[in-house]
Amino acid sequence: MNRIPRWRRERPDSAVSLPRRAALALALTCGFAARATAGDDITALSLEELLDVSIVGASKYEQKQSEVAAAASVITRQEIRAFGWRTVDEALASLPGVYTTYDRQYTYLGTRGFGLPGDLTTRILVTVNGNRVNDPTFDAGPFGRQLPLDIDLVERIEFIPGPGGAVYGQNAMLGVVNIVTRDGASLSGTEVAAGYETLSSAETGRASWGRRSSDGTEVVVSASAMHARGQDLDFGYGASGISGVATGLDGERDNQLFAHVGHGGWSFDLIHGDRYKEDPTGAYLSDPLVPGQYQQDRYELAQLQYQSDLAGDSLHLLARAFAGEYRYASTLVYGTPFAYPANGDWHGGELRLLSTALPAHKLMLGLESQLNTSQNQAVVDVAHPANDLSIPGSGYRNGIYAQDDWRLAERLAATIGVRWDRNDVTGNALSPRAGLIAQLDSSTTLKALYGRAYRAPNRGECCYGDGVGQVANPALRAESIDTLELDADRRISRDLLVRTSVYRWTMHRLITLGVDPASGLPQYQSGGDVEARGLELSADQAWRNGARLRGSVSVQRADYASGPQLPNSPGLLGKLALSAPLPLGGVVAGYEFRYDSRRLSLDGSYLGGYALSNIVLSRAGAGRADAGGGRIDVSLGVYNLFDKRYAQPAAANNWQDAFAQDGRTVRLALTYRM
């Protein structure tokens, strides 16, 4: 197999033991916390205020972070701007236990040791303002440019690791990402933005307008576009025996539209995203170095929501109706071109009641129903239409859930919840959760957590069969996960927080691509169990001058119960993010360091670990304000500052067993506000 020798490979027998990594992680984090304490200044702009941001995504209603039955994290718009994160997954990769994988087509999110190459991030649920984005055909959690929302419209990102099935049902196995968008008051006028990025020659543009009127009406309208020429990438195409430079085959286009209207208890969201990505890799073992191959994803999401307080404000009602449309298109060449269209159309509703009528209890009861009117897949033989194949589908999922946040004592609370789901693929599923939260003293919180979640196989896994590349398996069973976790938050001072999380999870009947014994063709099957354990240590420090330092070390190990280590599962992750104002007339510097240890690829070898540095300089309101009060914000970022050469594992449907990642990239972004 032809390989480009740009990264170091290691053999499995050189693995470092989990206890040694845990000891190293503890030493690093303790050292970090000790150094951060030296800047122990109590200020008005304290970490306490930063951590007081409410979280909605954990229980579908607002909670303080100390009340959430999870090691939840919030990334704010200020952090996104300071570190110049271009996509939501880049921001999430700054958190403990989170890592990304890019195969030159899609970006996938891994967490707590699980990130199988090419699995479409089906075990993490993505929502925007509480509205599910994972499509019903492939269950994919969209990240990178595939996410149909411009990151400049994000007010905050909530990440709730661990199973969220007791509230959300399907897909919320390893975590929930809830994205909260900016409102009219945040925009308060017009924004026009433009950016350029080297390496991929990417040009971006955005026009947004928002306002909150005197009667409280909120309006936001925004349109974004991106066009990238891409890179001329050098590939080996494995068993095909072909290698060469994919010249002009890496282009990308992305168009997005967002609209929000709110008045009183009513709100309406509309999201549109259309991404087109050319394929330089010969994905799905298609013919290498052939122009015109691509993959395209288009989303349309709408949500109408009503909220009201009843019974003297002791009962909160939320009702919402939602609808979505997903369109996938792809053309791949196998001697002659083949098209692979797929679509998903869905609509449904949710009714939720939250009661505080009983002393010491916060009771929630909800009903949710989703009808998938189409989950269609097809194969179109462009040269021989008689060979066309259509695989129609439709389905449903219904759920009933209940949760009680129970104040057992002044410093002791419990969260108990359960959700019952029924779907047309695997029938019934029960997802319980339990959490005990103890406030040991004014600065220490301890959380003991248990949860279970499930995922029914998607249509691409159970129903797709073309008789050539895959055989359907309608008897495919659902997979589930059980997680035990212990979290401790310690406030060293008003401006320094240290967090420790220890967890263990077991995934049952992992859905994997195997071989059909009857035909000898690939087939998705219910495999064995996967077991993982891990330790996450993090610290967060703020200073009087507005500087902030976040750091974490995560030690994790995920293995098949039968013995082998899980592929694409780095055992050690290190993160550091420092933002600080410079004495240069309002310039803010953001420096990010990220270390990922080696990852096992599907061919049994290890891809070497790597350390990346990014630096961003930004200034709000640069230049002279015009007569209308306008201003220009400037951001200059250098990503992969030291031009590190590294690679990440490929999936079984790639010719390659690894993909080299981007070298040094420079990005300039301007935003005009008026």
Side-chain angles (χ1 to χ4, degrees):
M1 181 177 294
N2 189 329
R3 296 191 180 94
I4 304 169
R6 291 186 176 177
W7 53 85
R8 177 174 52 89
R9 293 184 173 272
E10 302 171 350
R11 301 310 306 173
D13 57 7
S14 64
V16 180
S17 67
L18 182 62
R20 283 185 62 188
R21 291 200 302 267
L24 173 62
L26 182 59
L28 287 173
T29 301
C30 289
F32 167 78
R35 289 192 299 273
T37 306
D40 186 21
D41 292 318
I42 309 269
T43 69
L45 185 60
S46 65
L47 183 65
E48 185 174 3
E49 292 173 303
L50 294 170
L51 295 176
D52 198 37
V53 178
S54 296
I55 289 180
V56 178
S59 297
K60 295 189 175 183
Y61 56 82
E62 286 192 2
Q63 296 174 291
K64 293 183 179 180
Q65 293 190 50
S66 60
E67 300 171 341
V68 173
S73 299
V74 175
I75 297 172
T76 65
R77 179 162 57 95
Q78 289 73 23
E79 290 178 272
I80 293 171
R81 187 168 53 207
F83 294 105
W85 290 317
R86 297 161 291 182
T87 54
V88 167
D89 55 280
E90 286 188 349
L92 289 168
S94 70
L95 299 178
V98 180
Y99 59 101
T100 60
T101 305
Y102 178 51
D103 65 1
R104 297 289 169 186
Q105 293 291 279
Y106 294 101
T107 299
Y108 312 103
L109 198 73
T111 182
R112 292 189 165 179
F114 191 97
L116 289 179
D119 80 336
L120 305 182
T121 319
T122 57
R123 297 163 182 89
I124 294 177
L125 178 66
V126 182
T127 65
V128 176
N129 295 332
N131 192 22
R132 174 184 292 260
V133 183
N134 297 56
D135 71 274
T137 304
F138 302 113
D139 274 340
F143 291 101
R145 295 289 182 181
Q146 187 189 354
L147 180 71
L149 182 71
D150 192 315
I151 194 170
D152 285 343
L153 298 176
V154 173
E155 182 64 31
R156 69 179 187 270
I157 305 168
E158 303 172 349
F159 179 59
I160 303 96
V167 176
Y168 290 97
Q170 172 83 355
N171 297 114
M173 298 179 69
L174 292 165
V176 175
V177 176
N178 182 44
I179 302 167
V180 179
T181 58
R182 297 171 65 183
D183 57 20
S186 170
L187 282 161
S188 192
T190 300
E191 289 185 1
V192 179
Y196 179 78
E197 186 174 317
T198 64
L199 202 63
S200 62
S201 301
E203 301 170 343
T204 59
R206 175 178 60 90
S208 306
W209 179 85
R211 181 157 296 175
R212 176 185 291 171
S213 63
S214 58
D215 65 354
T217 301
E218 297 267 4
V219 180
V220 175
V221 180
S222 180
S224 306
M226 187 277 292
H227 180 269
R229 178 192 176 277
Q231 304 174 55
D232 294 335
L233 300 163
D234 193 356
F235 286 109
Y237 294 88
S240 72
I242 299 173
S243 63
V245 177
T247 303
L249 302 181
D250 190 40
E252 183 174 359
R253 300 194 304 269
D254 186 22
N255 299 301
Q256 297 169 334
L257 175 69
F258 174 76
H260 168 82
V261 179
H263 180 77
W266 292 93
S267 65
F268 174 76
D269 292 332
L270 176 66
I271 301 174
H272 164 84
D274 188 355
R275 175 182 183 258
Y276 174 95
K277 178 66 176 66
E278 295 177 344
D279 174 31
T281 69
Y284 298 99
L285 305 181
S286 59
D287 292 351
L289 302 176
V290 176
Q293 302 192 95
Y294 71 92
Q295 298 190 66
Q296 183 176 12
D297 302 89
R298 193 185 76 205
Y299 291 83
E300 305 275 1
L301 304 171
Q303 174 178 244
L304 177 65
Q305 187 168 266
Y306 175 73
Q307 300 186 62
S308 179
D309 290 321
L310 309 171
D313 293 341
S314 65
L315 184 65
H316 183 76
L317 166 70
L318 184 146
R320 69 186 189 98
F322 56 86
E325 175 183 292
Y326 171 70
R327 296 291 181 267
Y328 171 81
S330 176
T331 294
L332 302 174
V333 177
Y334 299 90
T336 59
F338 289 77
Y340 297 89
N343 64 61
D345 295 277
W346 68 99
H347 62 267
E350 183 175 13
L351 180 65
R352 184 164 71 247
L353 295 171
L354 178 66
S355 172
T356 57
L358 292 178
H361 289 271
K362 187 177 288 186
L363 295 166
M364 178 177 65
L365 179 65
L367 306 171
E368 185 178 11
S369 179
Q370 178 174 313
L371 179 63
N372 302 319
T373 53
S374 68
Q375 297 167 295
N376 303 326
Q377 303 169 81
V379 179
V380 178
D381 187 338
V382 177
H384 306 91
N387 297 330
D388 290 357
L389 176 66
S390 177
I391 308 171
S394 61
Y396 67 88
R397 61 175 189 87
N398 300 316
I400 303 174
Y401 58 92
Q403 180 173 290
D404 184 12
D405 283 340
W406 183 7
R407 176 62 61 178
L408 300 171
E410 182 181 356
R411 293 190 173 184
L412 185 65
T415 296
I416 302 172
V418 65
R419 175 165 171 147
W420 173 84
D421 281 283
R422 182 170 180 81
N423 64 76
D424 63 292
V425 180
T426 58
N428 300 327
L430 199 66
S431 303
R433 77 186 297 189
L436 193 63
I437 303 175
Q439 190 75 41
L440 301 185
D441 54 43
S442 59
S443 59
T444 306
T445 303
L446 187 66
K447 302 178 182 181
L449 311 171
Y450 165 76
R452 172 181 293 177
Y454 85 101
R455 182 181 76 90
N458 61 57
R459 294 287 168 172
E461 293 167 333
C462 69
C463 302
Y464 180 83
D466 56 13
V468 178
Q470 183 176 322
V471 176
N473 186 359
L476 194 58
R477 301 171 65 189
E479 57 186 20
S480 63
I481 191 170
D482 287 283
T483 300
L484 290 170
E485 184 173 348
L486 185 64
D487 300 327
D489 287 356
R490 173 70 177 175
R491 183 67 58 83
I492 306 299
S493 70
R494 185 183 177 190
D495 293 305
L496 173 61
L497 173 71
V498 176
R499 170 178 288 175
T500 303
S501 298
V502 182
Y503 62 85
R504 183 183 184 95
W505 57 257
T506 302
M507 193 175 296
H508 307 282
R509 301 181 303 275
L510 175 69
I511 298 173
T512 57
L513 190 62
V515 177
D516 174 36
S519 65
L521 295 175
Q523 181 187 57
Y524 280 96
Q525 299 171 346
S526 293
D529 294 351
V530 175
E531 298 176 348
R533 57 200 183 278
L535 169 68
E536 296 170 354
L537 305 171
S538 61
D540 198 335
Q541 168 77 51
W543 283 280
R544 178 186 303 246
N545 65 350
R548 187 182 179 192
L549 178 65
R550 284 197 293 118
S552 68
V553 178
S554 304
V555 182
Q556 51 200 22
R557 175 83 186 200
D559 303 286
Y560 292 105
S562 58
Q565 183 182 352
L566 208 65
N568 198 34
S569 180
L572 180 63
L573 300 173
K575 316 287 178 71
L576 195 67
L578 171 65
S579 60
L582 300 179
L584 298 172
V587 175
V588 174
Y591 171 74
E592 183 182 15
F593 172 85
R594 195 178 83 216
Y595 172 75
D596 290 26
S597 68
R598 62 184 193 164
R599 305 188 193 185
L600 180 66
S601 62
L602 294 183
D603 73 350
S605 63
Y606 280 90
L607 303 175
Y610 54 88
L612 302 177
S613 290
N614 304 324
I615 189 165
V616 174
L617 301 176
S618 59
R619 185 182 178 190
R624 181 184 301 177
D626 62 21
R631 72 179 196 188
I632 299 176
D633 297 346
V634 182
S635 175
L636 177 65
V638 183
Y639 305 87
N640 193 356
L641 178 64
F642 300 109
D643 202 23
K644 174 68 177 179
R645 303 297 180 180
Y646 66 104
Q648 295 173 345
N653 53 29
N654 292 118
W655 291 111
Q656 304 82 2
D657 64 280
F659 288 109
Q661 301 298 298
D662 287 346
R664 184 186 299 114
T665 304
V666 180
R667 177 175 179 260
L668 175 65
L670 305 174
T671 302
Y672 178 68
R673 307 175 191 273
M674 53 184 170

